[in-house]
Amino acid sequence: MACFTAPAAAAIAIAGIKKKIPPKYHIEWLTTMLWGGVVMLAVEHVTHGEVVWYPPFLTAMENPADIPVMLKEIATVGGAMTIAIVVAWAVMAVVANNMAKKRETRTHTITA
């Protein structure tokens, strides 16, 4: 219903603090991955008629009884997706930093 709002909220929060994060963490990768997940899920929800182009935009908001179900989906599915994206980004950042260190070590060994 609205699980894409969880990674969207994370992407917005990270965009607000991104200038304070050192480049070695490749935070732009994380924001790109989060926004990619948001777009993918939003398109999926639009094609299934769960998101519409007129208010209230989320079809679950039309019936107040569906709101708790929607919030649970945001927390469980959206939260799980956000965590999965963050874990994938963390692995990518660690691998990239380790490769950069190895490359730097080889360069210093060859020139020394």
Side-chain angles (χ1 to χ4, degrees):
M1 285 180 225
C3 57
F4 61 90
T5 59
I12 291 167
I14 290 168
I17 63 167
K18 134 169 126 172
K19 291 182 181 179
K20 297 178 182 180
I21 299 172
K24 73 176 185 176
Y25 294 114
H26 304 283
I27 202 67
E28 69 281 356
W29 293 356
L30 178 57
T31 55
T32 301
M33 292 169 71
L34 286 166
W35 283 120
V38 169
V39 169
M40 177 192 69
L41 281 173
V43 166
E44 187 270 334
H45 287 318
V46 168
T47 59
H48 285 105
E50 296 170 347
V51 176
V52 291
W53 301 109
Y54 49 86
F57 303 108
L58 301 173
T59 57
M61 298 290 287
E62 291 174 354
N63 182 358
D66 290 339
I67 293 174
V69 175
M70 178 188 66
L71 294 176
K72 183 179 180 187
E73 181 190 339
I74 291 170
T76 56
V77 177
M81 185 181 132
T82 303
I83 290 168
I85 290 171
V86 170
V87 168
W89 160 76
V91 169
M92 288 172 50
V94 167
V95 168
N97 287 334
N98 285 341
M99 289 174 67
K101 284 180 187 177
K102 285 181 183 178
R103 207 175 309 120
E104 186 178 305
T105 302
R106 281 190 217 137
T107 305
H108 288 304
T109 304
I110 293 170
T111 58

